[in-house]
Amino acid sequence: MKSKGQLLSDTLAEAKAENRAALIAYLPAGFPTVDGGIEAIKAVFDGGADIVEVGLPHSDPVLDGPVIQTADDIALRGGVRIADVMRTVREAHAATGKPVLVMTYWNPIDRYGIERFAEELAAAGGAGCILPDLPVQESATWREHADKHGLATVFVVAPSSRDERLATITAAGSGFVYAASLMGVTGTRESVGEQAADLVRRTRATADLPVCVGLGVSNAEQAKEVASFADGVIVGSAFVKRMLDAEDEAAGLAAVRELAGELAEGVRRVS
């Protein structure tokens, strides 16, 4: 049976074969509720997302801006637990057959137990983990367990990363490389720009892994811009904001489905 890490790689390869970037959506588990979060993921897949990152809510999310922090607070106040994150992955993947990753800071995995986390994530049908704050040089134990269970390990690179550092990161990672398009925290921005294109070019020079760009993409026009130079377009805050702004859960689901459709069109537009 094909591992879910391989499913992730195949999904990115299929998008490339269609001459387009993949659309990767991010939503936190437990937001607005555990059940509501699962429905939201199904809605973005339904709208046209190829891959979803499930955020593991954290009380000190250093990479995340105010929109995602607000959603994380709601989830944490609702009592979300790692078991709920696993359930979210399980149900979202089972309903769609599509790749579902977990994006998490390292501390919750370390406290939960590295082997236990990897084993449970694989059993839930997870494709892997995005680990924004785990230094590559400290990642050997995680990668050993991830490899054993067929999980991808996605590291984050930033415009400040030197070429030598990029080579170290891409050599250790699998699935894809998450390129943070600019310095700072997540959030929607007016422009994603040249810094991101340069980072993708430099990262690609070090490895064959797909390079997907996140931080700042919020509409179809920006998705089209990023899709012109990246293998995947990652959108988080814009989805979360649609959910936060909706008057009720049904409206929120309709809003994220619609946004996914607009973004999916954006990544398919050829300039």
Side-chain angles (χ1 to χ4, degrees):
M1 195 168 117
K2 189 160 66 172
S3 79
K4 298 304 183 276
Q6 188 58 49
L7 174 65
L8 173 67
S9 297
D10 290 351
T11 301
L12 287 160
E14 282 162 22
K16 188 174 186 177
E18 291 172 15
N19 198 27
R20 67 175 179 89
L23 174 59
I24 304 174
Y26 166 95
L27 284 164
F31 167 72
T33 60
V34 177
D35 289 343
I38 292 165
E39 291 308 313
I41 293 167
K42 291 182 194 172
V44 297
F45 272 136
D46 194 33
D50 298 290
I51 297 160
V52 166
E53 303 172 9
V54 176
L56 193 159
H58 195 269
S59 55
D60 184 26
V62 290
L63 186 75
D64 296 308
V67 171
I68 290 173
Q69 283 186 22
T70 300
D72 276 6
D73 285 346
I74 290 167
L76 291 167
R77 282 205 304 273
V80 72
R81 294 284 177 268
I82 287 179
D84 300 311
V85 177
M86 298 298 180
R87 185 186 145 214
T88 300
V89 171
R90 182 181 298 107
E91 295 195 14
H93 174 66
T96 63
K98 295 188 176 176
V100 182
L101 297 125
V102 167
M103 184 165 185
T104 178
Y105 296 100
W106 180 244
N107 187 41
I109 295 181
D110 202 28
R111 285 174 57 190
Y112 194 71
I114 297 170
E115 184 169 11
R116 179 184 174 202
F117 192 96
E119 196 174 316
E120 288 184 12
L121 181 57
C129 264
I130 301 167
L131 301 163
D133 66 340
L134 177 64
V136 170
Q137 60 272 23
E138 294 170 26
S139 68
T141 305
W142 162 261
R143 286 187 287 126
E144 181 191 324
H145 291 296
D147 290 348
K148 186 167 81 176
H149 293 290
L151 298 170
T153 298
V154 178
F155 290 111
V156 178
V157 298
S160 59
S161 305
R162 294 173 186 271
D163 292 353
E164 190 182 331
R165 175 90 181 133
L166 290 176
T168 304
I169 292 170
T170 56
S174 54
F176 64 92
V177 180
Y178 186 128
S181 66
L182 25 74
M183 302 304 290
V185 297
T186 58
T188 60
R189 287 179 173 80
E190 295 301 311
S191 148
V192 182
E194 287 172 26
Q195 235 184 357
D198 178 61
L199 177 58
V200 170
R201 182 187 55 74
R202 291 194 300 118
T203 306
R204 277 207 185 120
T206 68
D208 289 336
L209 281 178
V211 184
C212 303
V213 171
L215 272 66
V217 178
S218 60
N219 58 45
E221 213 43 56
Q222 290 172 336
K224 179 187 173 188
E225 180 196 352
V226 173
S228 71
F229 59 78
D231 299 295
V233 179
I234 302 168
V235 182
S237 296
F239 282 114
V240 174
K241 191 168 188 319
R242 291 274 178 117
M243 298 279 287
L244 286 168
D245 290 348
E247 18 185 282
D248 57 36
E249 204 169 294
L253 295 178
V256 294
R257 187 181 291 108
E258 180 185 36
L259 177 60
E262 291 165 9
L263 294 165
E265 263 183 49
V267 301
R268 284 168 172 79
R269 275 192 236 155
V270 180
S271 299

